Each structure stands twice: as structure tokens, then as C-alpha cells.
Amino acid sequence: MSLGQQAHAIKLQKGLDDIKIVSANKLNYKNNKTLLTGDVIIKVKDIYISSPSVEIEEKKKAEFTGSVNINSKDLNVVADRMEIDIKTGYITLFNAKSKIKDYKVDSDIQILHLENGTFRAEALEGSHVTTSHEDINVSSERLDALFEGDGENINDLIQIKFAGNVIAEKKESQIIGNKLLIYPPVKQYRVIGNAMFINKKEKLLVEADYMNLEESDSENKDYTLLATSNSESKKVKVLSEKRKLLANSRLVRMWLINNEVDKIVFTGASDVRLNDRKLEGEEIVLNNETKELISNLDRPRAILLK
């Protein structure tokens, strides 16, 4: 495989045993080679592959030339050329672009495993997997998608996992982390490891070990953020230049409406500085309406900073 060519690969658990010829205008057989030409359609489980020409060399390989298309309910791939290694069961597509449900994916290598309903996109050294969907764009080193299926059928897309230097741009916000999991049915995002949330409109930065973001169905696509730390010594950090806010807490809940912070709740050994005032306590609330810090528990410690 030339590194100069974009290549995508599909792993077939049983090689060509799962492949069925649906149609072809012509079929010729000579010297252990089968040549199919003219509107060729191949079916692999519930996935259809079409190409102008397919040459199958018995027990070795199958080569698809011309405009190759792969179609299923939630997966579409377009490629210039495709090869199947019959012994290993791999299908390699060159110069291909994929669409997983409504997610557009570009990468150097892509792998679909039909037996367990998973799809993988990988980047060669120095490049990235790029993914776009509505108002979110993601750059990563790898993408794994999980489909709902029983090995015979690939159905709904239920999870996408991005790994390796993940950077996601969403509206005026940026999500950074080691891993990012998206659950399309419930519009939920989970960030794992070195998680950062940056909101340009609010000039806001949140740093944590783990983050969950859940998007509402409103027109503004409001969402709730939950940030946590994985140890007592390390806390969630919140910094807002716009609000002159600096806070450290074990758990942070944040509500954003129209991409602006509406409310923040700091829980667990929290210290929060707002302008010239500092409040320490087990639960502290910052409400956008009052612009004040409030402790929901008894005996908070308030400090006036000079």
C-alpha cells in the first residue's frame, strides 16, 4: 500500500464466504479468474458493494476497479479502487471517503468488522482522522464506531469513540482530551483523560480528568457539563476571564444556555474566587442572574480579598 494513497480497509471474518454476487452484465471465467463487468453489485451480509468491474483470482484476491460504492443503513463509502485479500479477509479501499450515519469521516485507513458491528478509522504518522457532523468537527488519531447488530446485520449507530490528541470544535466551544465518546441517540459526549472545555464567548476554561456533556433538544442546543477528578489531591479547575472567576472543586456542574453560562455548582472541598471575594465550602453555587456566590450548606468560610 502506498502511503501517498488514502486507503480504507474492511475486515471480513470469513473472507469471501459471506459474499454474494447480486448482479453483473457479464461474467467470464478463465485461468482461475472470474471477471464480472457492467453494474456489478456484491452483497456482504447487509452491506452492498457496487463497481463497474470486479476480477476475482481464486483463493488469492478480488479487485474492484472504477467507482466503488459501499452502502448500508448507516455506512456509505466511495472509493476509486478496492482489493480483497481472500486469505486474510481484508478489503482495502483506495482514495475513499466515508459517511457513518450523518458523520463524514476522512482518514488514511478504515476498518469495518462485520461480526461485532464495529468501524475503525486510523491516521498514519503525521496525519489525523477528521470527522464532521452538523455543528461539531473533530480531529483525532483514531476513530471507533459501534453499531447495533447481531453479526448478521449492521443497524443503528450507537457510539463513536475518538482517541489520541482529540480536539473537537462545537459552536464557540472547544473540547480537548485523550478520548472522546459520542452517543448519538442521546446527544451525550464523554471526555476521558486530560479533559479541557474552552468557551470562547465566556472566556472560560474547565480542566478535569473526566467530563460529561449532554445536549438538550432545544433550538439553542443548550447543554449541561459535569466535570470530575479521579483523586482527592487533584481538583477540577474553572477559570473565567470574563467573570473574574477562579475555582477549584472535586465536582463541577455547569448549565449553558445559548452558549453562555447560566449556573455553576461546585461540590466537595471547593474554593471559589469571584472578583474580590473568596468562598470555601462543600457546595457553592454561582447563579448568572444574581452574579453572586451562595453556599447551600451550613458554615461556609468567606474571605474578602484585598
Side-chain angles (χ1 to χ4, degrees), residues 226-229 231-238 247-253 264-272 279-285 294-297:
L226 173 66
T228 60
S229 60
S231 66
E232 293 186 2
S233 60
K234 186 178 179 181
K235 294 183 179 180
V236 179
K237 179 181 177 181
V238 180
N248 294 280
S249 181
R250 289 180 182 168
L251 187 147
V252 174
R253 292 184 180 90
I264 307 176
V265 177
F266 305 91
T267 305
S270 305
D271 64 86
V272 184
L279 196 62
E280 297 178 351
E282 287 300 312
E283 185 171 283
I284 299 170
V285 180
I294 301 171
S295 176
N296 286 345
L297 302 178

Side-chain angles (χ1 to χ4, degrees), residues 206-222:
V206 181
E207 294 181 343
D209 291 316
Y210 304 96
M211 286 185 192
N212 271 9
L213 290 93
E214 188 162 344
E215 190 174 293
S216 72
D217 291 324
S218 67
E219 291 183 3
N220 294 329
K221 292 190 175 179
D222 309 328

